[in-house]
Amino acid sequence: MRMSVVGTGYLGATHAACMAALGHDVIGIDTDPAKVAALSSGTVPFWEPGLDTVLQDSLRSGRLHFTTDVTEATDAAVHFICVGTPQRSDSPAADLTHVHGAVSALLPILTPESLVVGKSTVPVGTAAEIADHVAATGARVAWNPEFLREGHAVDDTLHPDRLVFGVRDAISEATLCEVYATLLADGTPLLVTDFATAELVKVSANAFLATKISFINAMAEVCEATGGDILTLSTALGLDPRIGPQFLRAGLGFGGGCLPKDIRAFMARAGELGVDEALMFLRNIDDINIRRRQHTVDLTIEALNGSARGRRVAAWGAAFKPDSDDVRDSPALHVAAALREAGADVVVHDPRAMDNARRLFPDLSYAASALDAARDADVVLLLTEWRDYNELDPAEVAAVTRQASLIDARNALDVDRWRSAGWTYRALGRPLA
Ligand code: UGA
């Protein structure tokens, strides 16, 4: 099928490359000429494992092109909306400027044969609004939320847990079945529903994941007050098949371009709909999450005997999670910046996210290796659980620091290994020794 993908960020670039890999003829559209130039030359402008190979193979096949010119997609049957929906600067609600901009840009090329498919995460009611917006063209609208995780984007797109189609008519459903024929033939579960349910599936999935993380982090707070061990507790909880082990990793909490802004936008939308009480608990989920960041800052200052002023702090990790270079709402950088604010000399290292971090926080110092970051440090913080940090030799790191003091804010390192190399090791939600 001939299709366009409007917006070529993390979601759109992955979707475009994967749709071409499935055999479709795809045109990726973006207003940013630099992004279009990079993608056209086979360069992924962000770090996503495996995406460069899919992108380059798809470009070579001749089935994938990128452009800034919407009219090049005039003959496309399906138009996917994959633009960002960040938090508004003046409220917790979602900013839909890019979604409305994308639909307006498509308007001149829409016909009664076109299907506009929303994939961006939006407040419930947006699909119906878009259907009204495009009604005069005769085009159809569908909502097909995306559940991909950064760091696993290609696999999540080509082997999704489920497909959800929010549609108002059988033709839209049939068209989407054709788009995803390969995945459906592989046995991917399909749910066909209305617009509102499709939009809600996405935001409620992210709200549930955020709730699971904040639940275990709340338990970590209680463990710290009682001498309990959050790792044993979460392992025991996860062995109950009704609970499951996923998303029970206690630590610094969730960040990124999705979970934090999605729960806030969901609460804001519930307020507009008069059901704010139903989602009041998400306020606590957000508060617990933010508290982990402050707690890590407090533990660091405690490890520095009460003052960060003039002390040297090594911050391992800047990305919001490993296998990503995304620093949007990154808990790691939040902690690093807060310690800098408290007077510390903070030296950051991240295997992939240094450029993005530097752009956002030019005041922090950056080191080319984890060992360089730790040089002369009074305390070392593990803030993003990249596997690289597990491979470090605790004795080698201890030899370059001023004090062998470590705070593992992600419960990621082998505590016995570090303690036996002489480190004072603190981990969130775990006993002191
Ligand atoms: C999230 C969802 O997992 C995807 O299903 C969804 O499609 C995506 O948002 C989106 O809305 O686009 P993502 O933001 O890539 O994906 O990252 P996650 O893997 O969900 O991690 C989010 C944050 O939670 C990270 O900061 C991570 O470190 C943290 N986390 C995750 C924990 O603190 N503990 C855990 O046990 C799991």
Side-chain angles (χ1 to χ4, degrees), residues 201-215:
V201 169
K202 173 59 195 260
V203 282
S204 51
N206 276 2
F208 189 82
L209 294 171
T211 302
K212 248 188 136 177
I213 299 168
S214 277
F215 175 85

Side-chain angles (χ1 to χ4, degrees), residues 45-392:
F46 48 88
W47 173 249
E48 181 58 49
L51 182 56
D52 48 353
T53 311
V54 183
L55 174 72
Q56 287 153 17
D57 288 352
S58 294
L59 287 168
R60 252 194 310 274
S61 74
R63 288 193 304 271
L64 178 62
H65 295 93
F66 294 93
T67 181
T68 53
D69 180 4
V70 177
T71 61
E72 288 185 38
T74 305
D75 54 349
V78 179
H79 302 279
F80 284 102
I81 307 284
C82 293
V83 293
T85 52
Q87 186 175 325
R88 285 173 62 121
S89 55
D90 57 351
S91 88
D95 180 350
L96 294 180
T97 311
H98 300 303
V99 172
H100 293 309
V103 175
S104 299
L106 285 173
L107 270 184
I109 62 165
L110 294 180
T111 70
E113 280 70 50
S114 315
L115 178 64
V116 176
V117 184
K119 288 192 85 64
S120 306
T121 303
V122 291
V124 57
T126 305
E129 248 177 55
I130 292 175
D132 289 345
H133 192 172
V134 305
T137 68
R140 295 184 168 78
V141 171
W143 215 261
N144 166 222
E146 181 56 61
F147 304 103
L148 66 79
R149 298 159 297 166
E150 288 178 26
H152 304 267
V154 172
D155 201 45
D156 286 351
T157 305
L158 294 176
H159 307 281
D161 299 323
R162 72 286 210 194
L163 286 166
V164 176
F165 300 167
V167 292
R168 281 183 170 170
D169 62 273
I171 295 178
S172 303
E173 180 184 340
T175 307
L176 284 171
C177 283
E178 205 180 326
V179 169
Y180 292 112
T182 312
L183 309 188
L184 292 170
D186 285 348
T188 307
L190 167 64
L191 290 112
V192 181
T193 182
D194 51 86
F195 285 174
T197 309
E199 293 165 318
L200 283 169
V201 169
K202 173 59 195 260
V203 282
S204 51
N206 276 2
F208 189 82
L209 294 171
T211 302
K212 248 188 136 177
I213 299 168
S214 277
F215 175 85
I216 204 64
N217 282 332
M219 294 308 112
E221 284 188 32
V222 179
C223 280
E224 282 178 26
T226 55
D229 184 343
I230 195 61
L231 287 196
T232 311
L233 179 84
S234 65
T235 306
L237 286 180
L239 287 169
D240 182 333
R242 294 168 302 174
I243 299 175
Q246 307 256 31
F247 273 65
L248 283 185
R249 266 195 344 270
L252 192 46
F254 57 83
C258 303
L259 262 45
K261 62 104 176 153
D262 284 354
I263 60 169
R264 292 173 199 147
F266 199 12
M267 283 186 273
R269 185 66 182 132
E272 289 167 6
L273 294 165
V275 287
D276 35 347
E277 273 190 62
L279 297 189
M280 210 78 97
F281 73 98
L282 288 177
R283 166 65 38 226
N284 285 329
I285 299 307
D286 203 4
D287 289 347
I288 293 166
N289 192 50
I290 296 301
R291 232 170 23 237
R292 299 319 278 162
R293 303 179 185 190
Q294 187 55 45
H295 182 55
T296 304
V297 171
D298 293 344
L299 278 182
T300 309
I301 292 176
E302 198 183 302
L304 295 170
N305 296 324
S307 172
R309 196 151 297 283
R311 308 299 293 282
R312 197 165 172 120
V313 176
W316 286 347
F320 85 105
K321 67 171 188 181
D323 294 322
S324 169
D325 65 355
D326 194 346
V327 297
R328 286 176 294 171
D329 203 345
S330 166
L333 283 176
H334 188 127
V335 168
L339 286 164
R340 170 88 186 80
E341 193 70 17
D345 174 13
V346 183
V347 187
V348 179
H349 170 262
D350 189 285
R352 294 280 170 189
M354 300 276 271
D355 290 346
N356 288 341
R358 207 179 270 117
R359 259 193 296 275
L360 218 56
F361 291 97
D363 280 358
L364 296 168
S365 304
Y366 294 89
S369 72
L371 206 62
D372 282 346
R375 214 168 289 285
D376 298 326
D378 295 296
V379 61
V380 176
L381 312 184
L382 187 284
L383 301 174
T384 310
E385 67 277 32
W386 287 94
R387 268 183 303 279
D388 312 41
Y389 300 132
N390 289 80
E391 283 151 23
L392 292 167

